[in-house]
């Protein structure tokens, strides 16, 4: 900086004179902390006019600069001493001398650096790159890697009966919520209860009428099928009484207290429902049946979370809930973290469930009898990330599991958040599962817990999972198969059985496959069978697992329920005691040349798969062709070694992403082959797979390739029929997900199971490549809440830059200019630090999960012994893979673009409204010298402000949530910015530039925090709309908004924040750095705390304003003073 001429003087000897520029000065901000102001050219003599010792009005820190004559200009002065810092006195200089000194100095365009619209090339570049990334991500999300939709419409004839007597005597929420009983028109219109109670809980903003598809299917299935089935009735099957709750479309996803209120109401509702079955006037149950003591629960979306919360409430009736089925429910973490109560409620509920299941003894586990099944729709659900439906971190496999709808037999399709309630194929599967677990003969109305889990797995899983239970080993031989020694085919050891037609011999015929010899490695061999025929009583195909039946006197043949004699009258025969494998049949979607989707209306394939050790007691597999006439159909059966049919790749993720994976399966391959790729476990990456093969000569191919992609946790399978090309995306390891209870020994990753016809004797080639563009769309669901937090990093750094320059030079930079400087200095440093932090956190997460407990529940023994920190993935990116560190700069770049967009959008709105304001309201009067006075910055009187503030504080403490007050303050701040801009237009003085830039940046900061407060505000407004006037029991903390109130009221008086030249200035830097780091590291998982951090920063800014008035109440009154000076040094009240 050029020194002033030696003749310059100051009233304060020894104090450096802070130099400020006019519009023509050349400004160059050199560093991030202290920016030096350079003045190019020879500057004349400066005169410092502090006017100390003058009247009190001269000591007032009126930063709304007043216009002077043409010979003089005024600038908001930099302080020369502590007193000057408080008075913010003005520096006045001789304009003629200044002009002489600037004669041979190159000038920049006037007002360029001070214009809020100015934008640098680097900012433009960053914004364009950000826009490009956003376009690619959105385009990918909307058009790439989309699962096909296969849901069929459901139909019903609904009728609802409201329980008006469930009133305030039973629950305190009777005036807000209602209870209904569903009845299907034309089938069951009796409103008396008669069967097994089932309660449906709607989700966020859901309706009680959403129960219609499920309840209608239950009524129709019992009416058309079960009531005519004597065995089912003897097994305790009765109609399901579906109850539903009208929550008036409450918004539970955004408000924890609303979730708790619903849980309390539902516990009261269950007590009322159970009481109905004790009332003979309202119940028509059969005599001799026990009264129900529990209710089955079906919860959609947040209704599933409410269902789990019910068991933690004080009014929960023990054992009144034992079966919970949730549909697209976010169990693992809240969908958004804008409300502190919802985050705390999730933590409390999940901790309760983990703690309960960590008990060593069943009698100490209050949830031992409860089964929990979570069903989710997959990638088509764009409201709740499907990973959030996982129960792996909440319940052990003995008590619950998570399954995707694309895995469920005869469903085989994904579905969106609402379709999961009305999808016809899916509702049939759910209702049949509920009827299977129902047992009216028990007070609990359901089977025991272990049997319920077995039934749910059988109904909802593919049957090929490791936990799938095979029934064959548990059964007794029921079929006596008699064979003629020479009339039946014995397949040679190790050969494959292939039948291309049934009934060719015009009589029943058995084909025997001998078990591999005892020396075979039983753990590595399995039996597989595939056919296009069902394995039921009406099928021409029957599969039996047989042992030789000894003809001894003490054994009788009449113990068998079925005697299949294929020997004729030949005395030379063999008898086999057999078990039927139909109970373990797995349904697969048909894959033919005409197949397009797995959910097509086509006959399914039947598939059997057994490990050889499960067949150790048998000697033969008998494939019986029962057709007596030629019948179309085929069957293929074989024993195969795991080493020959399973391919485990050791390729790393980086190699896979760059080079892809190419495999070739030779012509002598097995019928079914499996490819395991451990490196593919992340839900953030998508792939494309292509399968090529040569056709069979003469068109003799029995079936076209059928592909199943699956991951083991959660249970997600997708089928691709007649596959040539397919999109591969999984819901494996996902960001922010808590670790599972059982720990992770080694990620199994993605597995591909391929059924192909080996009789064609051709090779099959498989190619797997990364879909880069398709992967970008996966960021939307996993990281959409990032953009509520990451932009605050940029805003905080911008504010830091603005205050640093202002304290050094007296010039408060525009938001765009400060963003440009931050983009070149502090922002890259912060992004680099966060990138290293992301890698460190991911590595720590991997190491902590590589430790495998000895027992599944060892991970959650207690707080001191816990092997799993369930919050370890809450920070920053939430990623468990350091490979994704690049997402930090990616999100940082997008956040910069969003900040630029919000900045200019706010400027456009502010300028537009300021233009309207200047036309509608009168122009300020002029001084004698023709200049405008600052009375254009009109504010209310001190008394009015005090009354308004006191009234607002009273409302916050009693009726309204502080989020409403915050929204009002945002509007007031908007008005302040508009008035500041209008005054700037009238009086283009540097002090007015400073004040407008300051108010504008604070407005941008408050706008970024506003979305965090809006959800709770929406809940409050919704409660008013349904006439629920009971105040929230939360969100009435005055301290949560008081600093905002004081700061916004201070700014509304037109007072500029004083400059700080002491070490206290570093407090602002520290607070803003803390805000930036917190927004990046904790902002996604604990976004609600961002409001409180900004609130603390506002308190600090208000403290600086107070400090300018010597920390006295009179100073506070002075800041809020309603008087200003006019051009003649007279005191006038503001209009």
């Amino acid at each position: 900086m050029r020194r002033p001429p030696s003749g310059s003087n100051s009233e304060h000897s020894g104090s450096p004179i802070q130099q400020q520029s006019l519009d023509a000065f050349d400004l160059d901000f050199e560093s991030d902390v202290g920016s030096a102001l350079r003045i190019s050219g020879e500057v004349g003599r400066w005169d410092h006019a502090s006017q100390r010792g003058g009247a009190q009005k001269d000591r007032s820190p009126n930063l709304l600069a007043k216009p002077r004559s043409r010979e003089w200009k005024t600038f908001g002065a930099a302080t020369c001493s502590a007193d000057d810092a408080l008075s913010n006195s003005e520096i006045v200089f001789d304009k003629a001398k200044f002009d002489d000194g600037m004669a041979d100095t190159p000038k920049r365009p006037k007002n360029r650096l001070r214009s809020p619209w100015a934008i640098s090339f680097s900012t433009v570049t960053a914004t364009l790159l950000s826009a490009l990334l956003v376009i690619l991500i959105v385009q990918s999300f909307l058009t790439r890697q989309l699962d096909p939709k296969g849901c069929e419409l459901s139909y019903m004839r609904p009728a609802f009966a409201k329980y008006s007597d469930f009133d305030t005597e039973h629950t305190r929420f009777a005036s807000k919520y209602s209870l209904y009983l569903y009845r299907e028109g034309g089938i069951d219109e009796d409103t008396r209860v008669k069967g097994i109670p089932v309660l449906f809980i709607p989700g966020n903003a859901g309706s009680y009428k959403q129960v219609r598809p499920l309840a209608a299917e239950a009524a129709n299935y019992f009416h058309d099928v079960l009531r005519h089935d004597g065995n089912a009735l003897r097994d305790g099957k009765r109609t399901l009484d579906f109850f539903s709750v009208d929550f008036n479309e409450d918004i539970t996803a955004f408000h924890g207290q609303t979730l708790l209120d619903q849980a309390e109401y539902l516990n009261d509702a269950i007590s009322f429902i159970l009481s109905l079955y004790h009332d003979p006037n309202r119940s028509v149950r059969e005599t001799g049946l026990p009264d129900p003591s529990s209710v089955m629960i079906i919860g959609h979306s947040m209704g599933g979370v409410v269902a789990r919360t019910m068991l933690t409430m004080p009014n929960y009736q023990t054992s009144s809930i034992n079966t919970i089925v949730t549909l697209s429910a976010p169990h693992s973490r809240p969908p958004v973290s804008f409300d502190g109560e919802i985050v705390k409620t999730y933590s409390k509920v999940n901790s309760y469930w983990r703690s309960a299941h960590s008990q060593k003894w069943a009698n100490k586990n209050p949830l031992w009898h409860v089964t929990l099944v979570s069903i989710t729709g997959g990638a088509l659900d764009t409201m709740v990330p499907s990973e959030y439906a996982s129960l792996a971190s909440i319940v052990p496999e003995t008590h619950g599991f998570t399954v995707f709808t694309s895995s469920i037999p005869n469903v085989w399709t994904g579905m969106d958040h609402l379709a999961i309630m009305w999808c016809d194929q899916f509702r049939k599967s759910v209702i049949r599962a509920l009827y299977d677990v129902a047992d009216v003969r028990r007070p609990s109305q359901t089977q025991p817990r272990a049997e319920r889990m077995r039934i749910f797995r059988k109904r909802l899983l593919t049957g090929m999972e490791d936990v799938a239970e095979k029934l064959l080993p548990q059964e007794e031989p029921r079929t006596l198969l008699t064979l003629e020694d020479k009339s039946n085919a014995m397949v040679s050891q190790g050969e494959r059985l292939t039948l291309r037609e049934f009934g060719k011999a015009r009589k029943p015929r058995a084909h025997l496959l001998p078990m591999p010899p005892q020396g075979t490695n039983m753990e590595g061999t399995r039996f597989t069978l595939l056919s296009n025929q069902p394995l039921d009583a009406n099928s021409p195909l029957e599969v039996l697992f047989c042992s030789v039946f000894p003809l001894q006197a003490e054994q009788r043949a009449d113990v068998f329920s079925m005697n299949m004699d294929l020997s004729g009258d030949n005395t030379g025969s063999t008898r086999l005691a057999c078990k039927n494998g139909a109970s373990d049949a797995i349904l697969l979607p048909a894959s033919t040349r005409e197949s397009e989707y797995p959910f097509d209306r086509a006959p399914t394939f039947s598939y059997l798969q057994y490990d050889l050790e499960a067949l150790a007691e048998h000697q033969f597999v008998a494939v019986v062709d029962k057709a007596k006439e030629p019948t179309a159909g085929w069957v293929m059966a074989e024993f195969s070694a795991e080493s020959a049919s399973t391919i485990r790749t050791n390729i790393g993720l980086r190699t896979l992403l760059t080079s892809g994976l190419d495999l070739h399966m030779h012509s002598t391959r097995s019928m079914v082959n499996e490819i395991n790729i451990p490196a593919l476990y992340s839900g953030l990456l998508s792939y494309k797979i292509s399968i090529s093969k040569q056709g069979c000569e003469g068109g003799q191919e029995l079936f076209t390739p059928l592909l199943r992609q699956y991951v083991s946790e959660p249970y997600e399978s997708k089928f691709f029929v007649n596959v040539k090309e397919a999109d591969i995306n999984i819901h494996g390891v996902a960001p922010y997900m808590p670790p599972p209870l059982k720990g992770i020994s080694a990620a199994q990753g993605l597995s591909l199971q391929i059924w192909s016809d080996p009789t064609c004797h051709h090779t099959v080639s498989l190619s797997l490549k990364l879909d880069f563009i398709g992967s970008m769309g996966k960021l939307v669901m996993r990281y959409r809440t990032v953009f509520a937090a990451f932009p605050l990093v940029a805003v905080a750094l911008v504010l830091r830059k603005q205050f640093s320059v202002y304290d050094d030079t007296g010039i408060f930079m525009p938001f765009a200019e400060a963003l440009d400087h931050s983009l070149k200095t502090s922002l890259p440093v912060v992004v680099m630090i966060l990138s290293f932090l992301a890698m460190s956190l991911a590595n720590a997460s991997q190491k902590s999960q590589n430790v495998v407990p000895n027992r599944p529940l060892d991970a959650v023994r207690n707080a001191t012994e816990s092997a799993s920190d369930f919050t370890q993935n809450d920070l920053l990116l939430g990623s468990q893979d350091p490979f994704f560190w690049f997402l930090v700069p990616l999100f940082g770049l997008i956040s910069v673009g969003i900040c630029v967009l919000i900045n200019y959008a706010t400027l456009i709105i502010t300028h537009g409204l300021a233009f309207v304001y200047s036309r509608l309201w009168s122009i300020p009067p002029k001084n004698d010298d023709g200049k405008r006075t600052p009375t254009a910055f009109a504010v209310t009187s001190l008394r009015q402000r005090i009354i308004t503030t006191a009234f607002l504080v009273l409302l916050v403490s009693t009726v309204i949530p502080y989020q409403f007050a915050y929204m009002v303050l945002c509007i007031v701040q908007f008005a302040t910015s508009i008035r500041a801009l209008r005054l700037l237009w009238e009086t283009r003085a540097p002090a007015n530039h400073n004040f407008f830039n300051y108010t504008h940046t604070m407005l941008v900061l408050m706008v970024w925090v506003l979305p965090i407060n809006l959800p709770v505000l929406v809940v409050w407004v919704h409660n008013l709309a349904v006439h629920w006037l009971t105040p929230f029991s939360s969100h009435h903390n005055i301290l949560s908004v008081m600093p905002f109130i004081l700061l916004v009221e201070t700014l509304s008086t037109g007072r500029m924040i004083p400059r700080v030249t002491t070490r206290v200035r570093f407090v602002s830097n520290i607070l803003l750095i803390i805000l930036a780091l917190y927004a990046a590291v904790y902002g996604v998982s604990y976004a609600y705390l961002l409001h409180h951090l900004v609130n603390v920063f506002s308190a600090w800014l208000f403290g600086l304003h107070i400090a300018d008035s010597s920390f006295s109440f009179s100073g506070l009154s002075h800041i809020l003073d309603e008087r200003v000076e006019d051009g003649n040094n007279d005191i006038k009240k503001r209009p």
Side-chain angles (χ1 to χ4, degrees), residues 371-675:
T371 56
L372 175 61
V373 178
S374 175
I375 308 175
T376 183
L380 289 178
D381 189 343
T382 57
M383 295 186 67
V384 174
S386 292
E387 291 91 349
Y388 289 8
S390 174
L391 300 174
S393 65
I394 300 173
V395 298
E397 292 181 347
T398 55
H399 288 72
F401 61 90
T402 305
V403 63
F404 284 67
T405 57
S406 57
S407 304
I408 301 176
N410 285 321
V411 178
W412 295 319
T413 180
M415 51 196 69
D416 62 46
H417 198 69
L418 296 179
I420 202 170
M421 285 304 307
W422 55 258
C423 184
D424 187 57
Q425 310 100 296
F426 174 70
R427 67 168 182 164
K428 286 180 169 62
S429 297
V430 172
I431 293 303
R432 281 153 181 75
L434 290 181
Y435 271 117
D436 285 349
V437 302
D439 188 353
V440 76
R441 301 170 298 178
R442 299 171 177 269
S444 64
Q445 304 295 287
T446 60
Q447 302 277 359
R449 178 193 55 79
E451 182 65 14
R452 294 199 305 270
M453 287 300 300
R454 186 193 67 79
I455 292 172
F456 280 129
R457 291 193 185 106
K458 181 68 176 178
R459 281 287 185 182
L460 302 178
L461 300 184
T462 65
M464 292 174 280
E465 294 82 2
D466 293 337
V467 296
E469 185 179 3
K470 299 296 184 182
L471 299 181
L472 185 71
Q474 305 172 16
E475 295 180 354
E476 295 295 329
R478 291 288 183 262
T479 302
L480 179 62
L481 179 61
T482 305
L483 302 176
E484 183 181 356
D485 291 341
K486 298 181 180 180
S487 64
N488 294 279
M490 177 72 72
V491 179
S492 300
Q493 186 73 46
E495 294 293 326
R496 178 185 300 115
L497 170 65
T498 302
L499 298 180
R500 295 180 177 273
E501 185 182 12
F502 293 105
K504 189 174 182 179
R506 296 185 180 275
K507 65 176 182 179
R509 184 179 176 86
H511 302 267
L512 299 181
L513 283 79
M515 292 291 173
Q518 293 295 326
T520 305
N521 182 9
M522 300 184 67
E523 293 184 359
T525 304
R526 64 182 177 181
F527 169 78
T528 55
L529 179 144
L530 183 66
S531 176
N532 64 347
Q533 298 297 315
L535 300 182
D536 55 26
N538 299 322
S539 172
L541 175 65
E542 190 163 348
V543 182
L544 304 174
F545 297 85
C546 307
S547 301
V548 175
F549 182 70
L551 295 177
Q552 299 178 5
E554 64 272 11
Q555 290 185 308
R556 300 174 41 155
D558 57 5
V559 299
F560 297 97
S561 59
M562 179 176 293
N563 191 342
M564 184 179 296
D565 190 351
L566 306 182
S567 64
D569 296 330
N570 196 321
T571 56
S573 60
T574 301
R575 290 188 174 187
L576 301 177
C578 303
K579 300 178 181 180
N580 197 317
S583 59
D584 290 328
I586 298 170
L587 298 182
L588 297 178
S591 181
T592 64
R593 292 183 176 180
E594 293 76 26
S595 301
E596 187 175 3
Y597 298 111
F599 47 80
D600 289 340
R601 289 179 174 269
T604 60
F605 286 176
S606 298
Y607 179 64
L608 287 176
Q609 176 178 301
Y610 292 99
D611 292 331
L612 189 58
E613 55 187 3
L615 306 177
E617 64 178 283
H618 305 290
Q619 296 167 327
F620 301 97
V621 178
V623 179
V624 182
D625 176 5
K626 299 187 297 183
K628 299 180 180 179
E629 298 291 338
T631 305
W634 54 266
V635 63
M636 188 178 297
E638 66 180 6
F639 287 94
S640 60
E642 182 181 7
S643 59
S645 60
T646 302
I647 303 174
R648 288 186 173 87
T649 63
N650 295 320
I651 186 173
L653 179 61
R654 289 162 181 79
T655 304
L656 184 64
L657 297 182
T658 56
S659 305
L661 176 66
D662 294 296
L663 295 174
H664 302 278
M665 293 179 286
H666 50 73
S667 58
T668 58
R669 66 188 178 277
S670 303
M671 174 183 64
V672 56
N673 294 269
E674 187 162 331
I675 303 170

Side-chain angles (χ1 to χ4, degrees), residues 285-304:
R285 284 168 61 89
E286 304 168 29
T287 57
L289 294 179
D291 292 327
S293 63
S294 67
V295 177
M296 289 192 286
I297 301 290
I298 296 181
H300 174 239
S301 186
M302 290 300 295

Side-chain angles (χ1 to χ4, degrees), residues 895-1111:
S895 298
V896 169
I898 295 176
C899 286
V900 172
L901 177 65
I902 295 299
N903 174 50
Y904 285 103
T906 307
L907 283 175
I908 291 173
I909 297 174
T910 303
H911 279 69
L913 294 178
F915 176 80
V916 174
Y917 178 69
S918 63
R919 292 296 182 269
L920 295 180
W921 273 264
S922 60
I923 299 176
K926 297 182 179 180
N927 284 333
D928 295 337
D929 58 0
K931 296 294 182 181
R932 302 291 180 188
T933 65
T935 53
F937 202 83
V939 292
T940 56
S941 67
L942 172 63
R943 179 175 299 177
Q944 289 174 323
R945 291 196 299 275
I946 292 177
I947 294 175
T948 302
T949 302
F951 182 67
L952 187 61
V953 170
L954 178 63
L955 289 179
V956 169
S957 61
T958 56
V959 180
I960 67 174
Y962 69 77
Q963 288 84 355
F964 178 83
Y966 182 83
M967 185 189 68
V968 173
L969 293 174
C970 287
I971 297 175
V972 173
Q973 182 64 18
F974 223 121
T976 301
S977 297
I978 293 172
R979 294 198 305 271
L981 179 60
R982 184 199 180 189
L983 182 61
L984 177 60
W985 288 346
E986 293 295 327
T987 312
R988 293 190 174 275
N992 296 338
H993 277 280
N994 286 348
F995 184 70
F996 171 72
N997 292 336
Y998 175 46
T999 58
H1000 173 74
T1001 302
M1002 293 305 301
L1003 174 63
V1004 171
L1005 178 63
M1006 294 180 68
V1007 166
W1008 272 119
V1009 180
L1010 183 60
I1012 299 175
N1013 293 278
L1014 283 180
V1016 174
L1017 185 59
V1018 170
V1019 174
W1020 179 70
V1021 173
H1022 174 268
N1023 283 349
L1024 293 182
V1026 298
H1027 308 292
W1028 181 253
L1029 304 180
T1030 302
F1032 285 168
S1033 59
S1034 57
H1035 307 295
H1036 292 290
N1037 187 353
I1038 299 177
L1039 295 179
S1040 297
V1041 75
M1042 179 59 75
F1044 283 115
I1045 295 176
L1046 296 176
L1047 178 62
V1048 170
E1049 284 294 334
T1050 299
L1051 295 180
S1052 68
T1053 64
R1055 302 290 171 177
M1056 181 63 184
I1057 190 169
R1059 294 170 57 194
V1060 180
T1061 57
T1062 63
R1063 293 183 179 180
V1064 177
R1065 60 186 291 184
F1066 294 109
V1067 176
S1068 300
N1069 280 340
I1070 293 173
L1071 289 177
L1072 289 170
I1073 290 175
I1074 291 175
L1075 174 60
L1077 294 179
Y1078 184 91
V1081 178
Y1082 294 94
V1084 174
S1085 298
Y1086 308 96
Y1088 68 96
L1089 287 176
L1090 292 174
H1091 168 93
H1092 300 293
L1093 284 178
V1094 177
N1095 190 47
V1096 171
F1097 180 66
S1098 299
W1100 168 249
L1101 295 183
F1102 178 72
L1104 294 180
H1105 283 279
I1106 290 293
D1108 192 42
S1109 297
S1110 302
F1111 294 97

Side-chain angles (χ1 to χ4, degrees), residues 32 98 102 111 141 178 187 192 245 380 561 785 812 837 910 950 982:
D32 185 51
F98 170 77
M102 294 290 293
N111 283 338
F141 177 70
S178 304
I187 292 181
R192 293 177 296 176
V245 178
L380 289 178
S561 59
T785 54
F812 204 92
L837 180 60
T910 303
R982 184 199 180 189

